Amino acid sequence: MPELALFPAPVPAGDERQLPRNIEAEAAFLGAILIDNRVVEDLPVQLTAAHFFEPLHGRIFGQAMALIERNSIATPVTLKPFFENDEAIKAVGGVGYLAQLTGSGAGLIGARDFARQIFDLALLRELVGVGRGLVEGALDTSESVDPHAQIEEAETALYRVAGGEAEMGSVKSFSTASLTALQAAERALNSGGHLSGITTGIGSMNAKIGGMHNSDLMILAGRPGMGKTSLATNIAYNAAERWRRDEEDGIPPEKNMGAKVAFFSLEMSADQLATRVLAEQSGVSGEALRMGKISKEQFQQLSRAAQALQTLPLFIDDTPGLTIASLRTRARRLQRRHGIGFIIVDYLQLLQGSSKSGDNRVQEISEISRGLKTLAKELHVPVMALSQLSRQVESREDKRPQLSDLRESGSIEQDADMVLFVFREDYYVAAREPKRPVEGDDIKIHAAHEEWAAEMERVFGLAEVIVAKSRHGSTGKIRLHFEAKTTKFSDLADDSQAYADYE
């Protein structure tokens, strides 16, 4: 698809339609700035020179802003040296045009409205440009035809228009960045001094990592059977439920400690995930749910839980075989429609890269991890991606995972802001159960089983979340309780009261 200009050029001769513009509003707005530079301090939108349809007006605005930002005064007199050799200004009477802009003070009264109109008309012109690019790309069959790729590019372009991404730019002053940091600190203070990000709903996890932070890529990894998906669904429910609760309590969105959640499940179907959440919240075993082995009382518990979940802001996309480009497109759409504030991907290795990756799996995984990090920054939300670990974990005596165990690419570790490993020792101890003794067996057989049973009792129901990497804090271990029947993680009984304020 041809590259789109930020704001397209005027319609070619012969086309009777004109691009949206208001030259008079641009002139009046510039006049207001040149009369009173303080006008730019109270604008409803962030204008740049590219928003002006008339190129000369864009250059005048850009030069005026450059002077103002240097604490100089922008007037027709101070701007004159910059435009004496400008061919466009000569065509409208020379540098005297700068003084003409200030001839009427009417612009001072409606400066904010003029700025908004200039901004909106610029977006409409960009939308026209996107539309033309779509038509040209769809008609051009000279190269390989890939309609799905064109659709994804179209959605990306439209997202930029809708979100104002193209005109806002990504450069922030230090004062803007420090204000954002201060707001995060205020958020933590208002939560009782414990939580600066989105809650995980698990007090001891919040106490260790401070919640899940916007623009962060979090990797949650573990060997099969450790409970990666279970922990992810727990966190997804807790964040969504906190959003709903805070919203009902009248807490404004910027101070809400929860988030609306998008869960991209490439492994399990939406109804399987829903069954897990129902089991977690009703206390009824997921296995009993699937097999229908539940009592009337349990069914009532299930019904109450299902009713409570009706308005939960948790959105599940179980489309299989997604590419990283498709996932990013769907995530943008969900944020635009529903205001998504937290994204979970289960799991990273089931995503596909672009066709450019070819058969190089390491390169493909690198592309996927970079794409997820870009998505987190682009949508300004935390992204949690589940990941497999290599089998080399099983060959070690200590089965606790290490960063080197991340499967297929070192770029996962590099791109991640935080790496969490789920580890349950009871899974491995259970697998080592010796022969069960029967009457008449040797005393050593009885002793061996008793020793195993004592070890199993010590570790049963215990889980560890290992913080192996954290850009914002320290590494370490978080001890949790895991209820296998309902696949629910929670604080240990001894710690639940100590961490109550962190939830």
Side-chain angles (χ1 to χ4, degrees), residues 8-294:
V11 181
D15 193 333
E16 295 179 359
R17 293 167 298 177
Q18 290 188 333
L19 289 173
R21 89 286 296 272
N22 188 337
I23 304 296
E24 292 76 14
E26 292 180 2
F29 177 70
L30 289 174
I33 292 176
L34 299 183
I35 293 171
D36 185 356
N37 292 174
R38 291 174 299 177
V39 165
V40 299
E41 297 173 4
D42 189 32
L43 297 181
V45 290
Q46 184 175 333
L47 287 178
T48 69
H51 287 104
F52 291 79
F53 178 81
E54 171 55 54
L56 173 60
H57 288 166
R59 292 196 295 277
I60 294 172
F61 177 79
Q63 191 57 58
M65 290 302 296
L67 288 173
I68 293 169
E69 287 170 6
R70 293 203 300 263
N71 291 322
S72 299
I73 299 173
T75 68
V77 175
T78 57
L79 286 176
K80 181 180 176 181
F82 300 101
F83 290 92
E84 285 178 331
N85 297 319
D86 191 294
E87 294 299 325
I89 207 166
K90 289 178 182 177
V92 291
V95 290
Y97 180 68
L98 297 171
Q100 291 177 28
L101 291 173
T102 62
S104 170
L108 284 170
I109 301 172
R112 287 174 58 83
D113 294 332
F114 290 141
R116 168 57 72 182
Q117 188 177 84
I118 292 167
F119 182 89
D120 289 345
L121 291 173
L123 288 188
L124 289 177
R125 291 196 297 275
E126 187 179 3
L127 189 58
V128 171
V130 170
R132 285 182 184 154
L134 296 181
V135 173
E136 290 174 15
L139 292 175
D140 182 9
T141 57
S142 59
E143 298 180 2
S144 60
V145 179
D146 188 352
H148 293 292
Q150 291 191 8
I151 290 170
E152 288 169 6
E153 287 181 31
E155 289 204 332
T156 299
L158 288 171
Y159 174 79
R160 288 183 181 136
V161 177
E165 176 185 303
E167 79 285 348
M168 293 299 286
S170 59
V171 178
K172 292 182 179 178
S173 67
F174 182 77
S175 62
T176 302
S178 60
L179 178 60
T180 304
L182 189 61
Q183 289 170 343
E186 182 188 16
R187 182 185 173 99
L189 180 64
N190 291 339
S191 73
H194 312 302
L195 194 61
S196 59
I198 295 167
T199 183
T200 63
I202 302 173
S204 50
M205 276 193 74
N206 286 342
K208 181 65 180 174
I209 67 175
M212 300 174 290
H213 302 88
N214 290 336
S215 303
D216 272 7
L217 172 60
M218 305 172 67
I219 299 296
L220 177 62
R223 288 292 294 158
M226 291 295 104
K228 298 186 298 294
T229 302
S230 298
L231 182 56
T233 54
N234 288 179
I235 293 172
Y237 170 83
N238 293 338
E241 173 59 24
R242 179 62 180 267
W243 172 272
R244 181 173 63 178
R245 196 166 71 240
D246 282 4
E247 189 177 43
E248 289 174 353
D249 291 342
I251 296 173
E254 64 273 11
K255 295 185 178 179
N256 195 308
M257 306 310 294
K260 296 180 180 179
V261 182
F263 198 118
F264 290 91
S265 178
L266 286 84
E267 186 175 36
M268 298 172 65
S269 66
D271 59 296
Q272 288 173 326
L273 274 178
T275 300
R276 284 201 172 198
V277 176
L278 278 173
E280 292 161 11
Q281 301 312 312
S282 65
V284 179
S285 162
E287 183 179 354
L289 268 177
R290 286 189 295 273
M291 300 178 69
K293 296 180 179 179
I294 55 176

Side-chain angles (χ1 to χ4, degrees), residues 399-464:
K399 311 294 186 186
R400 286 174 176 80
Q402 303 168 3
L403 286 172
S404 58
D405 297 325
L406 284 170
R407 189 170 173 181
E408 293 175 312
S409 176
S411 67
I412 298 176
E413 176 188 345
Q414 294 166 14
D415 293 326
D417 297 281
M418 184 176 294
V419 178
L420 306 172
F421 293 126
V422 187
F423 174 73
R424 288 173 40 229
E425 191 174 359
D426 62 357
Y427 176 87
Y428 293 103
V429 173
R432 297 200 305 265
E433 181 181 7
K435 175 189 173 184
R436 288 179 176 269
V438 295
E439 189 175 349
D441 275 344
D442 187 85
I443 191 170
K444 291 182 179 179
I445 296 176
H446 285 271
H449 198 274
E450 286 174 6
E451 184 181 347
W452 170 85
E455 185 180 9
M456 190 65 190
E457 184 178 0
R458 178 182 64 82
V459 300
F460 183 74
L462 295 180
E464 290 179 12

